[in-house]
Amino acid sequence: MSSERDRPFVTDDTQVQTETRDARMTGGGADNRFNSKLREAFGSSPFILTKFDQFMNWVRGSSMFMLQFGIACCSIEMMHTYSVKHDLDRFAAGVPRASPRQADVIIVPGTIVSKFAPRMKRVYDQMPEPKFVVGMGSCTISGGPFQEGYNVIKGAEEVIPVDIHVPGCPPRPEALIYGVAKLQQRIAEGESSPVTVKPYELEQFDDLEQDEIVEKLADQIDEDDLVMRYNWADSP
Amino acid sequence: MSLEEPTPDDGAVETLPTGADEIAELLGDLVIDTETHVNAPGFVIRPDTVQETLRRLRDEAGFDHLSCVTAEEREDRYESIYHLTSFDDRQREVSVIVPTTKDDPVSESAAPVFRTADWHEREAYDLVGIDYDDHPDLRRILLPETWQGHPLSQNYDQDRPQIVTLDEWENPLAEDHREDEGDTMYINIGPHHPATHGVLHVKTVLDGEQVADVDPDIGYLHRCEEQMCQTKTYRHQIMPYPDRWDYASSGLLNEWAYARAAEDLNDIEVPEYAQIIRTMGSELCRIASHMLAVGTFALDVYGDFTAIFMYAMRDREKTQNILEDLTGQRMMFNYFRLGGVVWDLPEPRDEFFETVRDFLDDLPQALEEYHDLITGNEILQSRTIDTGVLPPEVAKSYGATGPVARGSGIDYDLRRDDPYGYYDELEWDVITEDGCDNFSRLLVRLREVEESAKIIEQCADLLEDWPEDEREIQANVPRTLKPDDDTEIYRAVEAAKGELGIYIRGDGTDKPGRFKIRSPCFSNLQTLPEMSTGEYIPDMVASLGSLDIVLGEVDR
Amino acid sequence: MVTPLQSQVLLPERIAGLLGLSGTIGQIVGGLLGAFIIANLLLVQTAVAGPWAKRKITAAFTDRIAVNRVGPFGLVVIVADAVRLLSKELVIPEGVDRPAYDLGPLLVPFSALLGFAVIPMGNGIHLADPETGLVFAFAASSIASLGLVMMGYGSNNKYSLLGGLRAIASNIAYEIPLVVTAASVVVFTGTLQMSEIVAQQTQPLLSIAGVTIPQWFAIVNPFAFVLFVVANLAEVGRNPFDVPEAPTEIVAGFQTEYSSVYFVLIYLGEFIHIFLGGAIAATLFLGGPAGPFLPGFVWFTIKIWAFYLFTQWARSAIPRVRIDQFLDIGWKGMLVLSFANLALTAIIVGVIA
């Protein structure tokens, strides 16, 4: 399994599903978000726990608080999705919370650039589990129209794991609602996306490999500072 | 304060030098060479005489508006171009070109003369790599501090690895920067904060509840728009990008900025019919954009997603529906083409006009509602009147334009002062308010919506009566556009947030050699420290809301 | 002379009587069961108010629909929201001041629940009726600001700290006008005992065409009522006085760092506080559980929900005041007005009586 986790992108759909199921059944593995201590103690089959799991999945799929998080163009359409005509709250998913500690879902609405990626990673890390990510727009899929830019991260998946991608530039509010509804459906059915290994992680500066750029920056950056290293050449 | 007296030549407007020769005479031996830009005469000066030249132009020739600073790297030199114009007469323009050598690109800073040059030169340093002497605070502005190389310089390796720090992550009180006697507290507002309208980071020093110091830190949405445009062809490929600069639905206004510059550069004449469609679409965009501004300002002051925000969204929804009928998209229209628009009004035309008229008929009532809810509310008045004060001289020095300038009593609107499109044929007024505070800026936006509605109505009348066989939507434009080498142009339009200027240098190919965007929000945001130092946190937040910045345009 | 609206038997005694217990055991069991019943009554109301009614009310103000997919009218979202929030990861940030950080969220709902002990809710639902009932209610509800300060200080977050400080400032500035205004009612009644205050309001004030208008203090002294409601808005931290939370300024104020169970507790506490504010207002000014046709408890519920609706209305329609204006209104406006009101009431009562 570990050899597969080193691959940046898993393209085989069935394999993704298999891995998700395996991860859920065996407890450990890539996705440990839904597995309770009880399940570890009782194993995966007892009736009560299965029902309880179903109930919990239903709960998580029926109601969610969103993080009030705007980045770029898509955030305007996201605001429209929350408000009058489209009213995402009909799906019990329209309560924007300003603090990441109280949010379940982060909608990533826009282009992520090098300066922002560490901050977004930080915000994501501050959210309590179980948390879900909706990538909104082409920029969160691949960098979209700005993919060739010197400063643009080639998709949100490079930084945080994404559960649902909503394509479009920007997606219409209807599309975002469909995306959120799909996410709720997936959660309610007990599927969540596998956590892929991300190329860009926050690290302490002195944990980085000693190479030319690290040496060059050594007197500017404190050893304990959190940094993100971008290897643009390896980016998709 | 380094601000000097405003131009002392109010009484002597006639004597201001306007022609290239007169300006050359004024500058005397400061000029070492002359160039001709499509929009203005260009004077080449030595890098150590920047301040003297600009000061002379400002004080003696009335060029009090440093619209933009373009930096670029040429084959044999670096160049900073200062695009100067005047708030009183926008059609007087002059470019000051400052070449520096490749080995030692140091040029004198213009920041002591025009405060707006501060950020513009930081951007030039950041992206191109020109050093500015005597600059108050020359560090990177858009890219992270630790970035290696200058991405718009010529031999920049885009594939080299980069390391970016995260220094806002720690938040212990123990690491507070306390002075000996003062009890100030340093606080990061943003980049993820409900009041920053996107990903702005404001480094704030608080003294109790009051703001002691503000330093807006931008670049969290620097999407390399200039690089993108430089790698695309004039004819079709650049047009989608302007939609994404100011993405708060002023897409068509932005497209017009590019269209205007590129059309003037390539001598393309736009048919009158297309101009009217452009004018109408743009004003619809302006309404949508101002609605968002009003809604989010209310959000900042009211503090929750409450009625005003939702009502503003409801009205935006209507304009977006009309724009969708017209262009086929809700936000990213890609509707303009060089030489016109991509298609005619949707069929059946009657139905479209009916939709537009219905919207215009409902608008006064909606505006009445806003005035009831917002501007008529005593609490809101006490929150916004006399807060975030921006005096006109300061606004001019920072190059503030658009509703921000007009809220400070500066009568400056490119639609009237440097007419383009069909504006000069229509009946409408430029709105100004003299309050200079947050309330004035809010009022300007609300009143501008009325003016835009007037323009749309007149356009709809004209379009409806336009003879069917004269509906020419596009001029005949060659498939590939290749402006001559070394033709340079700087053209601006009045976007929703202010003066949106484009500088293009043709290099003989079908792609621009340099494409520079002068974003109104970038200059407007610079005034934030001026407006909020010494005020309370809520006022700072309200001022930020009243500036109506869009980070996509600030960072580009 | 005074017809008792409710039986003078308090809830614990009645429970003890029903169970056939007497003496100390009866008091303890009755008290505990009574408290349990009252707390649950409130928690149920809060559960309806928090995740569901708030959304629906806000949606009604903003031309939306809000939750309608889960259960009838989206009501089942209450279950989903509660269970989901409780089952979330409890993040304890690094460097928090542990006992304070943990105790703060507990204090908020419990202080408000404690205040309900002395509120007569009609139909004999009244846990205790000490002679100092009114003072007890105010005292209990102000413990909450201690909780807010603990949260703000303990969270190790500057936004929380600012929120905590603002919470103290607002509490000090508005508690005094609130209590002084309440004192003007006490001048009328001459007692602090809640049941007595309610009983006095059942007296007829005047009769017009066969309709008897009771002597509710909101009718007798509408000025005091308005003052009290405004000060109450500040007490419960709702627009235009929601400066301690102020989402667009200081993120979420004192609750910025709280997740999961603690967040639920804070959320609960806020809503119970609104209800307590409404309950005190109802008891002092609106005749408590009095009202025609319907049973007392229903009237009481209607009154506290009316206050809740009012807070939500204010939240949707009124801008937030700035912190300095907020304190100005408190110290320079409300305080002066409330003392003027007290003095006037005292003079009038003194002259008439």
Side-chain angles (χ1 to χ4, degrees), chain A residues 29 35-36 38 40-41 45-46 52 55 68 78-79 102 126 132 159-160 185 202 206 225 231:
Chain A
N35 294 322
S36 58
L38 283 174
E40 272 167 36
S45 53
F52 182 71
F55 172 68
Q68 192 179 337
M78 187 178 75
M79 275 150 64
Q102 293 141 18
Q126 281 172 335
F132 307 97
V159 184
I160 57 177
Q185 188 193 339
L202 280 172
D206 61 347
D225 267 359
N231 296 318

Side-chain angles (χ1 to χ4, degrees), chain B residues 66-71 115-125 132 135 141 398 516-519 522-523 526 556:
Chain B
L66 175 59
S67 182
C68 182
V69 181
T70 306
R115 277 194 258 173
T116 182
D118 182 349
W119 278 23
H120 281 282
E121 284 173 352
R122 274 177 69 188
E123 188 194 320
Y125 163 74
Y132 290 91
H135 188 280
I141 184 167
Y398 277 112
K516 159 83 188 169
I517 307 154
R518 187 267 183 203
S519 126
F522 185 75
S523 298
Q526 255 187 297
R556 285 150 292 145

Side-chain angles (χ1 to χ4, degrees), chain A residues 55-56 58-60 62-65 82-84 87 89-92 95 97-99 101-104 126-130, chain C residues 55 62-70 76-77 80-81 83-85 87-89 91 93 251 255-259 263 267:
Chain A
F55 172 68
M56 289 310 292
W58 171 83
V59 159
R60 286 167 182 148
S62 308
S63 161
M64 36 184 60
F65 282 178
Y82 284 133
S83 52
V84 179
D87 191 15
D89 204 20
R90 286 176 297 152
F91 299 82
V95 179
R97 297 297 310 179
S99 166
R101 300 269 187 234
Q102 293 141 18
D104 305 295
Q126 281 172 335
M127 289 167 58
E129 294 278 359
Chain C
R55 286 179 179 184
T62 54
D63 295 351
R64 289 184 299 127
I65 302 169
V67 277
N68 66 351
R69 290 293 197 277
V70 198
V76 185
V77 83
D81 256 343
V83 177
R84 173 181 57 86
L85 279 170
S87 70
K88 289 213 73 157
E89 182 190 6
V91 181
V251 188
Q255 48 171 289
T256 307
E257 288 288 350
Y258 284 93
S259 57
F263 174 63
Y267 211 67

Side-chain angles (χ1 to χ4, degrees), chain C residues 134 138 172-188 192 221 223-225 227-228 231 284-285 330-331 333-346:
Chain C
L134 184 60
F138 282 124
I172 296 172
Y174 283 82
E175 191 81 26
I176 301 171
L178 190 74
V179 174
V180 170
T181 315
S184 75
V185 170
V186 177
V187 171
F188 272 115
L192 291 167
N221 190 355
F223 179 61
F225 180 58
L227 270 183
F228 190 84
L284 286 181
F285 290 96
W331 288 113
M334 300 291 292
L335 190 65
V336 177
L337 287 176
S338 61
F339 271 111
N341 169 51
L342 181 65
L344 272 178
T345 317

Side-chain angles (χ1 to χ4, degrees), chain B residues 137-210:
Chain B
D137 181 21
L138 195 65
R139 58 196 160 90
R140 287 187 183 272
I141 184 167
L142 294 175
L143 292 169
E145 284 284 301
T146 49
W147 200 262
Q148 301 296 305
H150 302 278
L152 292 185
S153 59
Q154 274 180 346
N155 41 19
Y156 174 72
D157 174 16
Q158 201 177 319
D159 284 341
R160 73 199 293 183
Q162 301 280 358
I163 291 176
V164 176
T165 57
L166 173 68
D167 37 19
E168 293 96 33
W169 67 284
E170 229 175 352
N171 187 17
L173 292 170
E175 282 217 359
D176 220 343
H177 312 291
R178 280 175 197 280
E179 292 160 22
D180 289 338
E181 76 274 21
D183 288 329
T184 57
M185 175 161 88
Y186 173 81
I187 195 164
N188 285 306
I189 299 185
H192 161 240
H193 184 278
T196 51
H197 294 234
V199 283
L200 172 68
H201 172 208
V202 187
K203 298 174 181 167
T204 318
V205 179
L206 295 181
D207 181 5
E209 280 274 348
Q210 272 161 325

Side-chain angles (χ1 to χ4, degrees), chain B residues 65 87 395 399-406 412 494 497-499 518 520 524:
Chain B
H65 180 26
F87 276 107
T401 48
V404 176
R406 291 194 285 274
Y412 180 75
E494 184 74 24
K497 319 292 196 261
E499 178 177 339
R518 187 267 183 203
N524 290 353

